[in-house]
Amino acid sequence: KKINKNLFDDIDLKKIFLNKEIIRKINGNSKIIYKEKKLIKNYLNNILLDFNLAYGRLDFSSEIVISGGKIICKGDSILTEDYPRLYFNCKFDIKDQKKLFVDISLPNNSKNGSFILLVDGNLNIFNKKVNFKNIKINNLYTATDEDLKFYKKNFELILFDKDFINIFDIK
């Protein structure tokens, strides 16, 4: 709540990434840890983000405890490329589907079950494109090429209607 939301309006990622020599010189590790307080109603409980930037290569991992389960993601990017891609591998491990659906106000007619959703792919930050390599649910469903194209199209329509930075807008 204390972060000035207009701060992100002035960030131009293309200008930052055009200066590749500066990006190569920025090296470091950063961790962001958020625990226990109510961040967004009861949806997010704990957040652990770990970033490692060295010579233009970004490696990251995250664990986000949400209502009913957790999301674990790992990935990397070479920020000095002309069109940097953010490669990701995410696991949505939902132990209490009913609790999650109730907390995010989605209808849920199923029993109190669990599921694991695995998603592999990459984001092209400048072109606002996503490519899904693989999507699986409980090893019972694996997305076909046609399904992956459908998810790609809808992801881009919903999430990339603004600048990339705006996908982090809590609203």
Side-chain angles (χ1 to χ4, degrees):
K1 290 182 181 179
K2 294 180 183 179
I3 295 175
N4 181 355
K5 294 174 185 163
N6 296 329
L7 173 73
F8 295 111
D9 293 339
D10 296 332
I11 295 176
D12 185 348
L13 287 176
K14 285 186 182 180
K15 284 183 182 178
I16 293 170
F17 288 120
L18 284 175
N19 202 335
K20 296 177 190 331
E21 287 308 311
I22 290 177
I23 291 174
R24 283 187 185 102
K25 292 179 181 180
I26 299 172
N27 298 307
N29 291 322
S30 297
K31 285 189 180 191
I32 299 172
I33 300 170
Y34 182 88
K35 291 186 178 188
E36 300 297 328
K37 295 181 182 177
K38 306 264 189 255
L39 181 62
I40 303 172
K41 296 188 182 179
N42 286 327
Y43 309 150
L44 297 175
N45 300 326
N46 296 323
I47 300 172
L48 171 61
L49 304 172
D50 192 2
F51 300 95
N52 182 8
L53 181 61
Y55 307 105
R57 181 178 175 89
L58 172 70
D59 292 305
F60 73 91
S61 65
S62 67
E63 182 173 315
I64 302 171
V65 178
I66 60 173
S67 177
K70 64 183 170 180
I71 304 167
I72 301 167
C73 290
K74 293 181 180 183
D76 60 75
S77 180
I78 299 175
L79 301 177
T80 55
E81 291 182 339
D82 289 337
Y83 295 96
R85 292 183 179 268
L86 181 69
Y87 294 89
F88 59 87
N89 178 309
C90 295
K91 176 181 179 180
F92 297 75
D93 189 357
I94 307 303
K95 301 288 186 201
D96 189 343
Q97 178 178 331
K98 187 173 185 176
K99 179 172 178 32
L100 173 65
F101 282 26
V102 166
D103 286 350
I104 61 174
S105 301
L106 284 177
N108 180 25
N109 297 328
S110 66
K111 296 179 181 176
N112 187 13
S114 65
F115 67 91
I116 294 176
L117 169 64
L118 302 173
V119 181
D120 294 312
N122 65 73
L123 292 169
N124 184 320
I125 298 168
F126 294 150
N127 293 335
K128 300 180 184 177
K129 299 289 181 187
V130 65
N131 291 302
F132 294 111
K133 181 180 173 185
N134 195 10
I135 299 176
K136 290 183 179 182
I137 301 175
N138 287 346
N139 292 323
L140 299 174
Y141 166 79
T142 300
T144 65
D145 288 342
E146 187 175 316
D147 292 340
L148 294 173
K149 288 177 187 174
F150 173 81
Y151 296 132
K152 170 188 173 56
K153 177 183 172 189
N154 284 289
F155 185 92
E156 291 172 356
L157 284 173
I158 293 167
L159 227 44
F160 288 143
D161 62 346
K162 296 182 180 180
D163 289 332
F164 175 75
I165 270 302
N166 287 321
I167 69 171
F168 301 105
D169 185 358
I170 292 174
K171 293 178 190 173

